[in-house]
């Protein structure tokens, strides 16, 4: 008989070597450490060097999660890579599979921007609950420095690079207590990494488009408004589904976009600040990687302990947002 519950049994994370402090950004754009810190809470971020690939960062995080879960790469049935910045537009999950030696695993990419980890968590859970796979490696990884306009002071101060991972395993008891996922494409234009095409005539009467991706553009005010309204709503909905109250949550791990958003969401939910995990001061917004990096750090610092109840919520481009509540460990 297949075990159809889910446990999250291991975590890992990896960030590039190079750190870029706020002071260094003043050489690129007109800004100041004080301006960035007071508005975002970010003090520094990591940026990948030309030799650091997304696949290698993701594999490093994956290796740690596999080790912590006490399994081997050969035990992994599925590798899900949540990313918006693959090394290869056809997908990078298979490169990670090869890098890890996870010969049995099927691997594919999933794109939901900053909500990618939460969307990936729920996707992985479906494979386990249907009895198809027992061990799933979920990685959230992004190298946004490749796609930032380093002359745009509204966006270049926000983003950083990194990878985080968890192992989900089939388990007797189900530790994933609830989830809610949402999308609203009518607000898509507020946050984009868009393809911009130039028309090209192949032969007379046959036109195609060829072009490239343009850097990230964002309407910060609208994205802030969206997050502060929708995230508490979606967490409330998930609490109701899980039959829990907010005071039964031990830790709130939000997508690490902006300290002001974290504070506003905590305030609306009436959750004390000491239950809110925040590490964006050191890493900035790492998109799909932000929740698993924060989770892994808190686990390794001994903050998050087995059986702790954790609420996670991601939000971002799409626009997409979602929440999940789970208990840590078996």
């Amino acid at each position: 008989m297949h075990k159809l519950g889910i446990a999250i049994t291991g975590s890992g994370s990896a960030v590039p070597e190079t750190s870029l402090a706020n002071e260094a950004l003043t050489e690129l754009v007109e800004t100041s450490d004080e301006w960035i810190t007071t508005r975002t809470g970010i003090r520094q971020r990591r940026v990948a060097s030309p030799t650091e690939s997304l696949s290698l960062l993701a594999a490093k995080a994956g290796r740690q999660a596999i080790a912590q879960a006490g399994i081997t790469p050969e035990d992994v049935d599925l590798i899900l890579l949540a990313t918006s910045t693959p090394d290869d537009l056809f997908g990078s999950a298979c490169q990670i599979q090869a890098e890890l030696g996870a010969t049995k695993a099927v691997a594919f990419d999933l794109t939901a921007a900053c909500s990618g980890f939460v969307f990936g968590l729920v996707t992985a859970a479906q494979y386990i609950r249907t009895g198809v796979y027992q061990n799933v490696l979920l990685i959230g990884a992004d190298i946004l420095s490749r796609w930032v306009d380093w002359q745009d002071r509204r966006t270049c101060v926000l983003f950083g690079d990194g990878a985080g991972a968890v192992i989900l395993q089939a388990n007797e008891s189900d530790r994933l207590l609830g989830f809610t996922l949402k999308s609203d494409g009518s607000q898509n234009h507020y946050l984009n990494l868009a393809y911009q095409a130039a028309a090209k005539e192949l032969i007379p009467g046959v036109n195609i488009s060829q072009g490239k991706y343009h850097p990230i553009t964002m309407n910060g005010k609208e994205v802030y408004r969206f997050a502060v309204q929708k995230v508490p709503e979606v967490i409330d909905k998930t609490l109701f589904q899980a039959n829990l109250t907010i005071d039964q949550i031990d830790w709130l791990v939000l997508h690490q976009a902006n300290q002001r958003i974290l504070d506003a969401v905590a305030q609306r939910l009436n959750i004390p600040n000491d239950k809110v995990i925040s590490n964006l001061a050191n890493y900035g917004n790492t998109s799909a990687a932000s929740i698993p990096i924060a989770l892994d750090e808190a686990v390794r610092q001994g903050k998050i302990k087995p059986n702790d109840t954790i609420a996670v919520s991601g939000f971002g481009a799409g626009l997409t947002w979602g929440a999940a509540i789970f208990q840590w460990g078996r």
Side-chain angles (χ1 to χ4, degrees), residues 251-254 256 262 275-279 294-295 298 303-304:
W251 302 104
L252 180 63
V253 188
L254 298 175
Q256 306 283 304
L262 270 61
K275 285 187 174 186
V276 181
I277 305 275
S278 173
N279 67 355
L295 192 67
K303 271 187 179 180
I304 292 177

Side-chain angles (χ1 to χ4, degrees), residues 50-299:
T51 56
E52 288 174 307
S53 69
L54 182 97
S55 305
L56 289 173
L57 273 180
K60 190 175 172 187
R63 222 171 266 122
Q64 291 177 10
I66 289 166
Q68 200 184 83
I71 60 173
T72 68
E74 290 83 0
D75 296 319
V76 177
D77 302 304
L78 169 65
I79 297 169
L80 265 180
L81 172 66
T83 189
S84 304
T85 57
D87 296 326
D88 180 337
L89 208 49
F90 288 151
S92 288
C94 294
Q95 285 168 277
I96 295 162
Q97 181 233 28
E99 180 67 32
L100 291 171
T103 47
K104 198 175 82 175
V106 60
F108 64 89
D109 292 23
L110 178 153
T111 304
C114 304
S115 308
F117 180 78
V118 177
F119 278 49
L121 190 71
V122 173
T123 303
Q126 307 316 304
Y127 285 101
I128 294 173
R129 284 182 174 165
T130 49
V132 181
Y133 299 133
Q134 268 68 62
N135 300 307
V136 181
L137 170 61
L138 167 63
I139 305 168
D142 272 302
I143 297 184
L144 291 168
S145 61
R146 293 172 173 171
W147 298 107
V148 164
D149 176 355
W150 291 99
Q151 270 19 93
D152 178 3
R153 64 178 186 169
R154 293 162 307 176
T155 57
C156 78
V157 302
L158 299 174
F159 298 104
D161 304 339
V166 294
I167 289 284
L168 292 93
Q169 290 186 279
N171 197 49
E172 294 289 352
S173 66
D174 200 344
R175 313 281 278 168
L176 178 62
L177 308 178
F179 66 82
T180 311
L181 303 180
K182 296 278 190 182
S183 300
D184 180 5
S186 70
Q187 298 188 69
N188 177 268
H189 55 285
Y190 289 139
L191 183 50
N192 290 104
L193 203 175
Y195 170 73
Q196 292 210 341
K200 180 180 172 182
E201 190 170 52
L202 274 187
I203 55 171
V206 179
N207 294 292
I208 58 152
S209 81
Q210 288 196 318
K212 55 184 183 181
Y213 287 89
H214 276 233
I216 295 166
T217 59
M218 182 171 87
N219 181 327
K221 207 172 257 136
E222 289 299 335
V223 172
Y224 177 87
R225 187 179 298 163
F226 145 77
V228 169
Q229 183 199 340
K230 296 296 188 185
V231 172
E233 221 171 76
V234 84
I235 292 170
D236 268 335
K237 197 169 179 174
T238 310
L239 282 166
F240 180 78
Q241 199 189 77
N243 202 11
L244 293 170
T245 59
I246 196 72
D247 48 341
Q248 288 172 289
I249 298 295
D250 296 303
W251 302 104
L252 180 63
V253 188
L254 298 175
H255 165 50
Q256 306 283 304
N258 183 320
Q259 191 60 44
R260 283 182 170 183
I261 294 176
L262 270 61
D263 295 343
V265 169
Q267 200 178 343
R268 286 207 180 182
L269 288 169
N270 213 4
I271 194 163
N273 281 340
D274 59 2
K275 285 187 174 186
V276 181
I277 305 275
S278 173
N279 67 355
L280 62 82
N282 296 325
Y283 304 112
N285 177 347
T286 56
S287 192
S290 82
I291 292 173
I293 291 172
L295 192 67
D296 182 52
E297 277 199 345
V299 167

